[in-house]
Amino acid sequence: MLFANVHGKQVPIYGKILFLGDSITDMGMYVSYVQAYLDMFQPGNDLKLYNLGLSAETVCGLTEPGHAYPRPDVNERVDRAMLTIEPHWVVLMYGMNDGIYHPFSEDRYAAYKEGMWKLVRRIREYGSRIIVMTPTPFEPEVRRDKLVEGDEGPFDFDHASAAYDDVLARYSRFLVEEVGREADVVVDVHEALSGLGPFTEDGVHPGWAGHFQIARAFMRKVFHVYADHLDEAVPEELMARIYRRDQLLHKFYLEAVGYIRPDHETVDTFERTMMKYQGFNRKVAEYLDEHQELWEPRISGWSGFRREDFYYRGYEGVVVLPNEETEHGGWIWKMEFFEGATPPEIELVRQGFALVYYRVSDQYGSPDVMKYMESFYHYVRERYDLKQQMIPIGVSRGGLYAMGLACAHPSWIRAMYLDAPVVDILSWPKEDSAPDWEECKAIWGYTEETAYDFRSVVEERISTMVLAQIPLVLVYGAADTVVPYEKNGRLLETAYREADVPSLFIGKEGCGHHPHSLEDPAPIVDFLTQTEDLGMPLSSYVDLNRFRLF
């Protein structure tokens, strides 16, 4: 099941998702990328996407002088769209046309805000949840010969204001800061794409690469999925089949709902459209059946070793394999920040350990994500013939995952390496990052008041680790103000020293949260490799009263 964070709790994404937007949504490639991800990596999900994006549309009802016809206003057709599709979720992406390519003006801004609020509140009346996406950036660098400097026009699509992206940035802030309080999810596409392009040939309409970035931002925020390599995982021919299928439904429902614009397309009846749609469905299914290699790992290199990338249950997985002559079945599991390889990881792989990563990021070690991690554990052990016990590596927020897994399955843990770990969410993100704190509360299902219940989670995790005698090496910066040691790692140190469990605590004087690890990994590696794969079971009785840390 896929989830979104909605006002302090996780809500499942299911049923029908309606996409409304201007020509960028009308083009539909980002919707098809999302559909491709669902077809390939979440085939059991109860989701159906309906793209009703309409070229030239606005939410403000304004049209620039010289436009071929009055721009359509989504508020004119939203009721028909809602009654036709009956969606559970509605995605809105408007703004690119709403400044009508002029410099900023308060009047146009007011019209945009009024139209957006009207649309959001109307959709709410139908009981649907709302996902708001900010507009993509305007890219002036690709059309410098058609830009108009200053405030003197005329301005239109072909002669846009040189400062038009500033207008879109302001509209985006309104969506994030104001509409976001009413909408269920906000995806800041403008922020996500800014500085990555250019993705357009005309400054406005992204090509496939830009639409992939839109889909990537959407899936990260809505599904908690990092789909950084989805464009590589979906072959061009498969993408073409999915896109043709999606466009068939798009054109049918666009005409079925109706819109005010002079150009309309002739479409088949519903019955004939569904027959064609099922035909495209068969072609997509046939391609997937005939190309089982799509699920085989992608092979590349990592610090001189073999790296395999793949998807498992919808999330990216990575395994780095040691050379055959040193391989012994031992393994380390990095919880977060895989690309930031540290010297101990490289040395451990050199000594024959496999390195494993599962990108269930930004879920703060919650019980829900543990279910995915448990399944992944069994999958990689069987596929790569790995031993029962492994070494979790928890860097920063990765500490939440490492400790959560150790608490749930202490017999899986040979030893643990933590580096500037987050132990208590009431320290980080609560005291350091407001956006992360809101997301964290939603993931865990906490309110501002009930979040203090996490203290008992911390005590249970530390008690379990100590009573299971899990060897621990912990590296920290003594001057870390992001994840202060006294509020995080010190809790572990106090319990471990009191219980005399094998441990090594290394403080770096004058060092903040970064850099992580040590330049010379020998103390860390030596400690971790001294432990044995004992498969030691946890005592059946955990005395939580033994450790009162708060």
Side-chain angles (χ1 to χ4, degrees):
M1 177 65 74
L2 296 172
F3 290 86
N5 291 337
V6 175
H7 303 312
K9 61 181 179 179
Q10 288 203 96
V11 173
I13 303 285
Y14 64 90
K16 301 175 183 178
I17 305 179
L18 168 63
F19 291 79
L20 294 173
D22 50 36
S23 55
I24 296 168
T25 301
D26 193 342
M27 294 168 75
M29 289 98 86
Y30 78 84
V31 181
S32 290
Y33 267 123
V34 176
Q35 186 64 66
Y37 167 79
L38 296 172
D39 286 348
M40 291 185 67
F41 304 116
Q42 296 280 359
N45 259 275
D46 178 24
L47 280 172
K48 193 168 183 62
L49 311 186
Y50 293 83
N51 176 9
L52 265 69
L54 178 62
S55 180
E57 191 165 65
T58 71
V59 73
C60 68
L62 301 178
T63 304
E64 67 271 33
H67 195 268
Y69 49 82
R71 288 185 177 275
D73 181 347
V74 64
N75 284 294
E76 183 277 328
R77 67 184 181 113
V78 64
D79 286 309
R80 299 192 301 277
M82 297 299 292
L83 291 170
T84 301
I85 305 300
E86 297 182 333
H88 299 85
W89 294 78
V90 181
V91 181
L92 307 174
M93 188 163 75
Y94 289 95
M96 180 60 77
N97 294 330
D98 288 274
I100 57 175
Y101 303 95
H102 284 56
F104 178 79
S105 88
E106 290 291 347
D107 288 345
R108 285 186 289 274
Y109 185 37
Y112 176 66
K113 292 194 290 185
E114 180 182 353
M116 183 58 72
W117 281 124
K118 180 180 179 181
L119 179 60
V120 166
R121 287 162 181 159
R122 188 60 178 154
I123 291 170
R124 274 283 188 245
E125 292 178 9
Y126 287 91
S128 299
R129 296 192 180 275
I130 299 171
I131 300 168
V132 170
M133 301 174 71
T134 63
T136 54
F138 176 73
E139 297 179 333
E141 63 269 29
V142 302
R143 56 185 293 184
R144 294 196 180 280
D145 58 329
K146 293 185 176 181
L147 296 177
V148 180
E149 301 287 346
D151 296 331
E152 297 298 325
F155 298 98
D156 55 31
F157 177 86
D158 292 321
H159 305 89
S161 166
Y164 194 56
D165 194 52
D166 294 338
V167 177
L168 299 182
R170 188 156 182 175
Y171 287 14
S172 296
R173 287 196 299 273
F174 157 70
L175 295 176
V176 172
E177 296 172 4
E178 298 185 41
V179 179
R181 291 195 290 268
E182 174 67 23
D184 296 292
V185 183
V186 177
V187 183
D188 195 349
V189 175
H190 190 273
E191 174 68 21
L193 270 65
S194 290
L196 296 183
F199 294 114
T200 71
E201 295 183 359
D202 60 5
V204 173
H205 299 100
W208 280 97
H211 275 257
F212 167 67
Q213 295 297 334
I214 299 171
R216 182 170 168 253
F218 178 88
M219 288 187 284
R220 155 69 188 92
K221 191 67 177 179
V222 178
F223 296 160
H224 305 301
V225 168
Y226 283 82
D228 293 359
H229 304 289
L230 181 65
D231 54 339
E232 302 169 16
V234 184
E236 186 175 332
E237 174 58 26
L238 176 60
M239 194 72 234
R241 295 185 186 193
I242 291 171
Y243 184 64
R244 287 196 294 270
R245 180 191 64 186
D246 294 350
Q247 285 294 294
L248 176 73
L249 277 193
H250 165 57
K251 291 176 181 178
F252 173 80
Y253 279 107
L254 201 58
E255 294 298 332
V257 167
Y259 52 89
I260 298 176
R261 211 176 68 181
D263 52 328
H264 285 258
E265 294 192 38
T266 301
V267 295
D268 280 327
T269 63
F270 177 78
E271 290 74 15
R272 286 184 57 83
T273 299
M274 289 301 105
M275 287 178 59
K276 291 181 179 180
Y277 178 78
Q278 292 304 324
F280 279 122
N281 254 348
R282 285 191 294 273
K283 290 182 178 181
V284 169
E286 288 167 3
Y287 189 96
L288 293 173
D289 287 341
E290 294 167 2
H291 293 81
Q292 293 298 309
E293 73 277 6
L294 293 176
W295 287 271
E296 290 298 314
R298 300 185 307 281
I299 309 302
S300 62
W302 182 91
S303 297
F305 300 96
R306 177 186 174 95
R307 169 175 171 166
E308 298 190 359
D309 286 72
F310 52 91
Y311 279 86
Y312 179 74
R313 294 187 66 186
Y315 293 97
E316 293 179 354
V318 180
V319 173
V320 176
L321 297 170
N323 296 328
E324 289 185 7
E325 59 270 21
T326 61
E327 184 177 15
H328 50 65
W331 53 300
I332 56 179
W333 185 348
K334 191 166 188 183
M335 298 289 146
E336 280 274 38
F337 309 113
F338 176 78
E339 299 302 337
T342 61
E345 296 161 38
I346 298 171
E347 178 59 23
L348 286 166
V349 176
R350 192 188 68 78
Q351 292 191 21
F353 288 82
L355 169 61
V356 170
Y357 174 63
Y358 191 38
R359 197 172 187 181
V360 285
S361 297
D362 298 337
Q363 301 195 50
Y364 304 91
S366 67
D368 285 339
V369 79
M370 288 298 141
K371 299 172 186 175
Y372 283 86
M373 295 176 70
E374 290 161 357
S375 178
F376 183 73
Y377 166 87
H378 293 295
Y379 172 77
V380 293
R381 277 200 64 209
E382 180 179 355
R383 182 180 179 95
Y384 294 96
D385 194 24
L386 301 176
K387 292 183 179 180
Q388 174 191 345
Q389 289 195 314
M390 48 79 187
I391 300 172
I393 298 178
V395 176
S396 191
R397 70 183 73 180
L400 294 170
Y401 296 81
M403 293 179 66
L405 196 62
C407 182
H409 300 283
S411 63
W412 293 0
I413 313 300
R414 166 176 171 166
M416 185 182 296
Y417 165 35
L418 300 178
D419 197 309
V422 176
V423 174
D424 184 5
I425 61 173
L426 295 168
S427 168
W428 188 95
K430 185 179 190 298
E431 296 179 353
D432 183 74
S433 174
D436 288 318
W437 176 234
E438 292 304 314
E439 183 176 62
C440 181
K441 285 189 297 181
I443 291 286
W444 276 87
Y446 287 144
T447 65
E448 198 71 24
E449 293 73 28
T450 62
Y452 287 88
D453 293 345
F454 190 78
R455 293 276 166 84
S456 64
V457 175
V458 175
E459 291 179 334
E460 180 185 9
R461 288 177 170 185
I462 293 177
S463 297
T464 301
M465 290 170 60
V466 167
L467 294 174
Q469 299 282 296
I470 295 174
L472 170 67
V473 57
L474 194 156
V475 179
Y476 64 94
D480 190 343
T481 58
V482 178
V483 183
Y485 186 67
E486 293 300 320
K487 297 181 178 181
N488 292 276
R490 182 72 74 189
L491 304 176
L492 282 160
E493 182 177 356
T494 299
Y496 264 72
R497 292 196 186 282
E498 177 186 329
D500 196 27
V501 177
S503 55
L504 177 64
F505 296 89
I506 303 174
K508 298 178 289 184
E509 292 301 322
C511 181
H513 192 60
H514 298 99
H516 293 297
S517 191
L518 304 174
E519 290 186 11
D520 177 7
I524 300 170
V525 173
D526 290 347
F527 178 90
L528 294 173
T529 54
Q530 287 170 6
T531 61
E532 295 293 335
D533 187 10
L534 300 177
M536 184 185 302
L538 174 68
S539 167
S540 60
Y541 175 69
V542 177
D543 182 6
L544 295 182
N545 292 316
R546 179 173 179 179
F547 300 102
R548 287 302 178 204
L549 302 170
F550 302 100

